Amino acid sequence: SAAAAAAAKAGLPLLVVRAVSDDAGKSLPRVARVPLRPDGGVSVGAVAQTLCARPAEWPAVARLALDTRAALAALRGVV
């Protein structure tokens, strides 16, 4: 990756840590596939529009939010 190459060139160590918030057996709700804003943030309007069109996805979105929160907590425990 570019980060690894830059670290190697500068003679700096590099550690990559990853946390996964969903397992391979779960399907992501459609709202999770809504495009992000150009800055990488979540487009709240697009998410709201998708959830209004597919209200049955609310439970899956809530589960994904909880799983993501747990993954972030695990990352915080490492770094």
Side-chain angles (χ1 to χ4, degrees), residues 57-74:
E57 289 195 354
W58 273 104
V61 169
R63 180 79 250 159
L64 180 60
L66 291 173
D67 291 346
T68 299
R69 196 176 241 178
L72 290 172

Side-chain angles (χ1 to χ4, degrees), residues 22-51:
D22 62 313
D23 67 50
K26 290 183 183 176
S27 295
L28 287 176
R30 184 178 192 91
V31 71
R33 296 184 292 264
V34 171
L36 299 176
R37 294 187 320 239
D39 67 358
V42 175
S43 174
V44 177
V47 169
Q49 183 178 9
T50 302
L51 284 174

Side-chain angles (χ1 to χ4, degrees), residues 6-28:
K9 184 176 179 179
L12 298 172
L14 175 71
L15 172 67
V16 176
V17 179
R18 178 179 165 189
V20 178
S21 63
D22 62 313
D23 67 50
K26 290 183 183 176
S27 295
L28 287 176

